[in-house]
Amino acid sequence: MAWITWKRVIEAGLDGEPEYVERAKALVAFHPECAAHNRRLVALRAGVAAVAREETIGDAQFPAFMAGVWEGIEAPQRSRPGFWAAFSLVAAALVAATAMGYILLGGPEPVNATEVEYVGTDLEDATVDWYNSSNGVVTIQVNMQDDDL
Amino acid sequence: MDVPREPVLRYDSVPMDKGRLENPGEVRSAEDATLVEWANAGNAPAFEELVRRYRNEVFALSYHFVRQRDTAWDISQEVFIKAYRSLRWFRGDAGFKTWLMRIAANQCKDHLKKRRLKTASLDERIQTEMPSSIERPDEALEARELGQAIERAVAALPAKHQVAFVLREYEGLSYDEMARVMQCSPGTVMSRLHHARKKLQHALVSMGVMEDV
C-alpha cells in the first residue's frame, strides 16, 4: 500500500497539485525508486507533448459549426429507443409479479375433504360401511359375499 | 406519439427584456452566468456567444479521444446541442466551462463505448508538425514514434482512465477541476490517473518504446 501511496504523491507533485509538490520533490531527491518513477512520468509527458497538436475550430469555420448546432437543436427529438425497452420490462415485471402473487398468496382454496357425506355401491349384494378413526382418518369398508370375486 | 419540439431560438424572437440586439458588444462582454440566463430565456446571440467561447475546448477534448477531426466536429456539435437542451438545469455551482466539459467527457465516453473505437493505423494518422526545438530527423522520428505509441496506448485504456488521462495531460485541468468534470472525488481522480499511467507504461514497455526501469 505504501508503494502505491508514494507513487501517487510523486504523480500529484508532477501534476502541480500544491499540497503534494514539496513532498514529491523530497521523495524524488532522496529515494532512487522515486526518482525512477518520476523519470518515467516525465518521459510519458514528453511523449504526449511531442505529438500534441492544438485542434481548433477557426473563426472561418465557426458559422458552419454553429449552423450544425442549430440544425441539431431544431431537429425533432427521436423517441428514446430505451422507452419501449423499459415499457416491455415493466410489463414483463407486472406479469411476473402477478404470477408470483398468485403462487405465493394462493389460488383457489385447496380441496380439503375431511368428512364423508355419502357412501354407496352399485355391486349387487354388497354393502358399504364407513367409520372415522380417532386420528381423523375415514375408513370405507365394502362387504361382499364370500363366493364373489 | 408525437414528441413535442423544443422551442426554436430565432433572432426575431429575442425577449425584449433580455439580451436585445441593440448592443451586441454587451453579449460579447457578458459573463458566462449572464449569458446562460439570457440563453435560457431564448436569446440566440447569448447561446452563440457561449458556443463561440468554448468551442475549442470542447473540440480539443473530443479530438483527443477520437483522433479524427470530422468525428470530433460531430461530437462537439452534439455536446452543444445537449448543453442547450440542458440549460434549464444548469445550477451554476460549477462554472459553465466545467459543466460543459462534463457533458463533453460523457459524450466522448458514450461515443467510445458505442463505436468501440479502434486505434487508427499509422497511415491514417494526421501528419503532425515537428516541434521546432527538434532539429535532427532521427530525434523527431523517435519523438513521433513515442507519441504515436502513446496515442495507441491511450486509446486502449478503459474509458474512465482515458478520460482522466486526457483531462490531465491534454487539457491541463487540476485535480479539483477534473473531479468536477468527472463527478468524483479528487482522491478518485488521483487513483484513475495512477492506473492510467501505470497501464500506459506497461503498454509502452511492451511496445519497446519505453525502458522498463
Side-chain angles (χ1 to χ4, degrees), chain A residues 14 38-52, chain B residues 131 134 142-144 146-147 150 165 169 210:
Chain A
L14 186 68
N38 191 64
R39 283 196 298 273
R40 287 194 293 270
L41 293 173
V42 170
L44 192 62
R45 183 160 291 176
V48 169
V51 293
Chain B
I134 298 177
E142 188 175 333
R144 185 180 167 188
L146 176 60
I150 290 174
F165 188 80
E169 296 295 338
M210 182 175 275

Side-chain angles (χ1 to χ4, degrees), chain A residues 15 55-57 59 74, chain B residues 5 55-56 69 175 197:
Chain A
D15 289 338
E55 291 292 335
T56 61
I57 297 173
D59 289 342
E74 293 173 14
Chain B
R5 294 187 59 175
R55 70 189 192 270
N56 288 328
R69 193 174 168 86
Y175 286 9
R197 285 163 168 153

Side-chain angles (χ1 to χ4, degrees), chain A residues 17-98:
Chain A
E17 293 296 309
E19 67 176 291
Y20 296 101
V21 170
E22 292 306 316
R23 289 165 62 188
K25 282 182 183 174
L27 285 170
V28 171
F30 293 107
H31 296 280
E33 290 173 347
C34 297
H37 185 62
N38 191 64
R39 283 196 298 273
R40 287 194 293 270
L41 293 173
V42 170
L44 192 62
R45 183 160 291 176
V48 169
V51 293
R53 51 181 286 165
E54 193 67 18
E55 291 292 335
T56 61
I57 297 173
D59 289 342
Q61 299 168 304
F62 180 71
F65 181 80
M66 196 66 226
V69 173
W70 286 129
E71 190 179 325
I73 289 171
E74 293 173 14
Q77 284 185 269
R78 291 171 297 180
S79 61
R80 297 173 183 267
F83 171 76
W84 293 111
F87 181 81
S88 299
L89 195 62
V90 169
L94 280 175
V95 170
T98 303

Side-chain angles (χ1 to χ4, degrees), chain B residues 104-210:
Chain B
N106 287 333
Q107 198 70 13
C108 291
K109 270 201 306 185
D110 290 345
H111 176 83
L112 291 178
K113 288 176 184 175
K114 285 178 189 173
R115 305 290 183 190
R116 297 184 183 179
L117 184 72
K118 293 183 197 273
T119 308
S121 67
L122 287 176
D123 292 338
E124 295 172 25
R125 293 286 179 197
I126 297 173
Q127 297 295 316
T128 59
E129 296 175 0
M130 301 302 165
S132 58
S133 60
I134 298 177
E135 296 180 359
R136 289 171 46 197
D138 54 344
E139 277 187 3
L141 181 63
E142 188 175 333
R144 185 180 167 188
E145 284 181 353
L146 176 60
Q148 288 171 341
I150 290 174
E151 288 180 357
R152 283 199 296 273
V154 169
L157 288 174
K160 59 183 179 182
H161 294 162
Q162 192 173 345
V163 169
F165 188 80
V166 168
L167 289 176
R168 179 64 204 94
E169 296 295 338
Y170 291 95
E171 300 296 320
L173 299 187
S174 69
Y175 286 9
D176 281 342
E177 290 171 328
M178 290 172 64
R180 284 194 289 272
V181 170
M182 294 160 61
Q183 292 183 291
C184 63
S185 67
T188 302
V189 169
M190 284 180 73
S191 176
R192 289 182 185 176
L193 271 176
H194 171 73
H195 288 295
R197 285 163 168 153
K198 184 178 175 183
K199 287 177 183 172
L200 284 173
Q201 287 176 0
H202 283 316
L204 294 174
V205 166
S206 66
M207 287 184 205
V209 294
M210 182 175 275

Side-chain angles (χ1 to χ4, degrees), chain B residues 1-172:
Chain B
M1 179 174 71
D2 290 336
V3 176
R5 294 187 59 175
E6 289 284 341
V8 174
L9 295 184
R10 298 280 187 206
Y11 284 92
D12 57 359
S13 66
V14 171
M16 294 306 293
D17 57 343
K18 293 233 166 58
R20 287 175 288 181
L21 293 178
E22 295 169 355
N23 186 7
E26 186 181 4
V27 174
R28 290 292 178 97
S29 62
E31 292 187 357
D32 288 352
T34 305
L35 289 173
V36 170
E37 185 185 343
W38 289 351
N40 217 1
N43 188 319
F47 181 67
E48 281 201 9
E49 177 59 23
L50 288 170
V51 177
R52 189 188 310 275
R53 285 184 187 181
Y54 296 112
R55 70 189 192 270
N56 288 328
E57 282 84 349
V58 172
F59 187 68
L61 179 65
S62 303
Y63 180 79
H64 288 140
F65 278 100
V66 299
R67 293 293 166 182
Q68 291 174 337
R69 193 174 168 86
D70 290 345
T71 308
W73 178 280
D74 293 339
I75 291 176
S76 301
Q77 288 178 321
E78 289 168 13
V79 169
F80 284 107
I81 292 168
K82 193 164 280 192
Y84 168 73
R85 291 186 173 139
S86 305
L87 276 178
R88 69 181 78 105
W89 292 296
F90 175 66
R91 292 189 300 270
D93 46 357
F96 179 77
K97 179 184 172 182
T98 301
W99 182 73
L100 197 61
M101 297 299 274
R102 186 185 304 160
I103 296 175
N106 287 333
Q107 198 70 13
C108 291
K109 270 201 306 185
D110 290 345
H111 176 83
L112 291 178
K113 288 176 184 175
K114 285 178 189 173
R115 305 290 183 190
R116 297 184 183 179
L117 184 72
K118 293 183 197 273
T119 308
S121 67
L122 287 176
D123 292 338
E124 295 172 25
R125 293 286 179 197
I126 297 173
Q127 297 295 316
T128 59
E129 296 175 0
M130 301 302 165
S132 58
S133 60
I134 298 177
E135 296 180 359
R136 289 171 46 197
D138 54 344
E139 277 187 3
L141 181 63
E142 188 175 333
R144 185 180 167 188
E145 284 181 353
L146 176 60
Q148 288 171 341
I150 290 174
E151 288 180 357
R152 283 199 296 273
V154 169
L157 288 174
K160 59 183 179 182
H161 294 162
Q162 192 173 345
V163 169
F165 188 80
V166 168
L167 289 176
R168 179 64 204 94
E169 296 295 338
Y170 291 95
E171 300 296 320

